[in-house]
Amino acid sequence: MSDPLKVFIIAGEPSGDALGGDVMAGLKELCPNITFQGIGGPNMQAQGLESLFDMSELSVMGLAEILPKYRHLKRRISQTAQAVIAATPDVILTIDSPDFCLRVAKLVKTQRDIRVVHYVAPSVWAWRPKRAQKMARHVDQVLALLPFEPPFMEAAGIQCSFVGHPVANTAQASRQDCAAFRMRHQIADDAPLVLVLPGSRGGEVRRLSDVFGEALARFQQTHSNARFVLPVAPSVRGLVTELTANWSVKPILIDSADHPEKLSAFGAADIALAASGTVSLELAAAQTPMVIAYKMNWLTAAIMRRLMRVDTVTLVNLVSETRVVPEFLMENCTAEAVSQGLSTLFAKPATQSAALDITMDRLGRGQERAGLRAARAILSGITKPVG
């Protein structure tokens, strides 16, 4: 029997952990004789990974937010690079979290010629386009979630494969599931139900809480029987419970880790108020119209504003090549504006339907699942016999 294929895999936040678990399952399906080492969360651990340290240490977003933790992250980067070198893997798979993952890859490449595959193309189409050229020095292959990304990476000399987005083929809640959700939480059939998604990181939840709470209160003034449901990430449960206790509206808090309950909430909702991020794609998959709102740390925002190359941050708008999802960002992220956006959308929710469908089709709906496509792309670049 040949030696097992050795993969060192790194994810730094929950979305990366979900991608990692999916691609690990795909790799095991195509190559049963395989071993994994690295860093990951519960999804990857369920596939057999023993994490080098707790993945939550890496869940930092934003330039200003990274600075206070820089020295600790630098130690973890060095520790991880040394673990890779000691493991002598056939391939390193880094997933998103570029500030951590790509620094690890750079360190490894200075000492060993190990193939590096980065899953999730950096948004060079949005800002900092020179990152692609920098990546080309120590990344051999990129796996893209969005269909328009490969040309940007290939122009920098990096092999890039569009592998689809996992959300496009995620099973959605049935009508019966949605009806049962409303019944379970005593929500009348004719009550407007707003899904509230303030993010999964402490910093963004704190920045958005007051605006979201006040916007929902204003919405309820004109929609008196409205109800609100807020899926809570385990990492911020205590914080969300504390902050929402001060809202005049009382959202139903559900555990976002309870996947069937979360899907039922997404499907049962009439509209959603969400922080900017990949959650817009989850909403598109559930055919839930949305309003996007976001605030950043002022320093991060100032830097981003100077570097942005696109006129929208919402992935549904970008993938569908429309601008139907309203955005309220930074100084425009006010309770009055967001509330008005919600009311306008609730009056005409069908305005987003076509764009949501186009988004899912372009992300691979009905095709082979993304994790398996990603696994095939990874294995295609490995010279060692696998199978």
Side-chain angles (χ1 to χ4, degrees):
M1 186 175 180
S2 61
D3 292 336
L5 181 72
K6 295 192 290 185
V7 179
F8 199 101
I9 183 168
I10 306 169
E13 53 187 319
S15 59
D17 175 56
L19 292 172
D22 196 26
V23 76
M24 286 172 72
L27 285 166
K28 291 198 296 186
E29 185 176 334
L30 298 174
C31 179
N33 190 22
I34 190 169
T35 63
F36 297 101
Q37 289 180 261
I39 302 161
N43 290 287
M44 292 163 65
Q45 290 169 24
Q47 294 294 329
L49 180 73
E50 184 174 334
S51 189
L52 184 63
F53 53 81
D54 195 315
M55 183 190 73
S56 64
E57 293 186 31
L58 308 182
S59 296
V60 183
M61 183 181 181
L63 302 173
E65 290 81 355
I66 288 172
L67 292 176
K69 298 185 177 182
Y70 177 73
R71 297 180 76 172
H72 177 70
L73 288 172
K74 191 173 180 181
R75 286 193 295 270
R76 287 303 197 192
I77 288 166
S78 178
Q79 176 191 0
T80 305
Q82 291 306 312
V84 172
I85 292 166
T88 63
D90 297 293
V91 63
I92 307 166
L93 175 59
T94 58
I95 306 175
D96 211 0
S97 303
D99 291 309
F100 183 85
C101 288
L102 299 183
R103 283 176 170 82
V104 171
K106 182 178 180 179
L107 269 181
V108 171
K109 283 286 196 178
T110 62
Q111 300 182 57
R112 295 284 191 278
D113 185 18
I114 302 173
R115 184 172 180 79
V116 174
V117 179
H118 188 67
Y119 194 2
V120 183
S123 50
V124 295
W125 40 268
W127 71 302
R128 290 172 60 196
K130 292 183 180 178
R131 283 177 295 170
Q133 285 81 7
K134 292 180 180 179
M135 280 182 67
R137 301 170 193 162
H138 43 267
V139 172
D140 301 290
Q141 181 182 14
V142 170
L143 309 179
L145 297 178
L146 305 176
F148 54 78
E149 292 178 318
F152 291 93
M153 306 310 301
E154 291 164 352
I158 306 176
Q159 178 188 355
C160 185
S161 305
F162 168 58
V163 297
H165 199 293
V167 73
N169 287 308
T170 300
Q172 298 300 312
S174 66
R175 288 186 179 182
Q176 291 81 1
D177 293 332
C178 297
F181 178 88
R182 281 183 171 254
M183 184 175 295
R184 191 159 55 248
H185 294 285
Q186 300 180 323
I187 303 168
D189 291 342
D190 62 348
L193 179 58
V194 182
L195 186 65
V196 187
L197 300 156
S200 60
R201 300 179 182 89
E204 61 190 3
V205 171
R206 287 188 182 91
R207 285 191 294 273
L208 294 172
S209 176
D210 288 348
V211 172
F212 274 34
E214 178 60 27
L216 298 176
R218 288 171 177 258
F219 181 82
Q220 194 173 56
Q221 287 174 7
T222 53
H223 303 81
S224 59
N225 62 335
R227 300 288 301 279
F228 309 93
V229 60
L230 196 162
V232 185
S235 59
V236 291
R237 172 173 293 280
L239 177 63
V240 169
T241 302
E242 175 188 343
L243 293 173
T244 56
N246 298 320
W247 291 4
S248 60
V249 301
K250 300 304 175 188
I252 301 163
L253 303 183
I254 64 169
D255 185 355
S256 67
D258 183 343
H259 200 57
E261 184 78 343
K262 177 183 172 182
L263 286 176
S264 295
F266 273 58
D270 295 295
I271 58 173
L273 169 59
S276 176
T278 56
V279 72
S280 70
L281 300 181
E282 295 182 67
L283 292 167
Q287 279 287 305
T288 305
M290 70 200 80
V291 167
I292 299 297
Y294 204 70
K295 284 186 175 183
M296 292 179 177
N297 173 283
W298 71 268
L299 177 58
T300 301
I303 295 169
M304 291 284 286
R305 190 176 284 113
R306 292 173 62 89
L307 299 175
M308 286 294 289
R309 306 172 72 215
V310 291
D311 64 347
T312 178
V313 300
T314 301
L315 290 173
V316 169
N317 286 342
L318 289 163
V319 175
S320 66
E321 298 178 280
T322 69
R323 297 296 182 265
V324 297
V325 175
E327 299 174 331
F328 301 94
L329 310 176
M330 298 310 297
E331 64 271 10
N332 296 319
C333 183
T334 66
E336 182 178 3
V338 172
S339 174
Q340 183 57 55
L342 287 170
S343 293
T344 300
L345 178 62
F346 183 72
K348 295 184 177 180
T351 56
Q352 293 185 14
S353 296
L356 304 186
D357 267 331
I358 290 169
T359 298
M360 288 300 102
D361 288 340
R362 291 181 177 176
L363 292 182
R365 180 164 59 185
Q367 300 178 38
E368 187 175 65
R369 79 175 197 273
L372 196 55
R373 292 170 70 180
R376 291 190 196 282
I378 295 165
L379 295 176
S380 71
I382 298 174
T383 56
K384 175 178 178 175
V386 296

